[in-house]
Structures are given as structure tokens and as C-alpha cells.
Amino acid sequence: MGTLKTFLKYILWIIAFYLFTSFLIFVGFNASYKNIESKQDLPKQITIDKAEATKNQGRIYGYVQNNEQNNLNGKYIKIAIFNSADENITTQYLKIENLGANEKKMFRATYTAENSKYYKIEITENN
């Protein structure tokens, strides 16, 4: 019975160590992200939840919503990233597909660019 308790303690220690290291890795990767701002007003059908960047990469999370007046299927979300000198350092296009009437869908854009400070989002017909 004593051997079983010893193995149970080892298993609990391994699980605790795994959870602790996972937490530290999550904090370490996400602590260096800083918020970036929009250069202009967003289109009415797009909302941004989170836009942040590190020194050399960034990510933008948001939602696009279709409405009956302006069907967005087949169009693109154009995301332009700018540095502090107002230079366009990268541009990314996300295709809008399979979006029903009045449906809201999440999008995620990740990019690699150094010293990004601002972003600009538009809806375009083609890339």
C-alpha cells in the first residue's frame, strides 16, 4: 500500500509541475505584447477585440458581420500595418467566405513586421 501512495505522489507532482510550467510559458509568450491602435475609423461591419504587437510580430483578433444591405461574401479584409514613421510595413488580405445573412464570424490575422504601431482595416473587392 505504501508503494501505491508513493506512485500517486509522484504522479501528482508531475501534473503540478506540468501545469506550473504551462502557466509560465503562457505568461512568458504573452507578456511582451503591447496594444496597437487604429489609424482610422473601422468599417461598420468590423469590430476589433484585440490588436497587439511585439517588436517583430503582431496579431489582430476581431469579428466581421454580414448584413442584408452589403453582402461581404467573396470580399477581402485588407489589413495594413504601419510603423511610427507612418510607413506601410506589411499588408495582409483575409478572404470572407461562408458568411450567412446577419451572421457574425471571428477572424484572426497574424503578421511578422518590426516596430508596428498602427493598423488600418478596409473591406475590398479583391486583393
Side-chain angles (χ1 to χ4, degrees), residues 52-83:
E52 52 193 11
T54 62
K55 183 178 176 173
N56 56 5
Q57 64 183 6
R59 57 190 181 191
I60 298 175
Y61 299 101
Y63 289 93
V64 60
Q65 183 171 7
N66 212 357
N67 63 25
E68 295 163 359
Q69 293 84 14
N70 188 7
N71 188 3
L72 297 179
N73 280 319
K75 295 183 182 180
Y76 291 85
I77 299 172
K78 177 184 175 184
I79 302 172
I81 306 298
F82 297 88
N83 62 11

Side-chain angles (χ1 to χ4, degrees), residues 17-108:
F17 181 73
Y18 172 76
L19 293 175
F20 181 69
T21 56
S22 295
F23 173 74
L24 288 179
I25 290 169
F26 175 79
V27 169
F29 279 134
N30 291 307
S32 60
Y33 278 95
K34 307 289 184 234
N35 289 335
I36 58 174
E37 298 179 17
S38 177
K39 280 185 68 101
Q40 67 178 22
D41 293 334
L42 295 173
K44 293 180 182 178
Q45 294 171 290
I46 293 181
T47 56
I48 299 298
D49 282 346
K50 189 188 311 186
E52 52 193 11
T54 62
K55 183 178 176 173
N56 56 5
Q57 64 183 6
R59 57 190 181 191
I60 298 175
Y61 299 101
Y63 289 93
V64 60
Q65 183 171 7
N66 212 357
N67 63 25
E68 295 163 359
Q69 293 84 14
N70 188 7
N71 188 3
L72 297 179
N73 280 319
K75 295 183 182 180
Y76 291 85
I77 299 172
K78 177 184 175 184
I79 302 172
I81 306 298
F82 297 88
N83 62 11
S84 57
D86 244 9
E87 298 169 335
N88 185 352
I89 50 180
T90 188
T91 302
Q92 188 173 17
Y93 291 89
L94 303 174
K95 187 167 185 172
I96 302 170
E97 297 178 310
N98 304 324
L99 195 60
N102 295 322
E103 183 182 355
K104 196 174 197 179
K105 190 174 185 180
M106 184 179 178
F107 69 88
R108 175 182 162 196

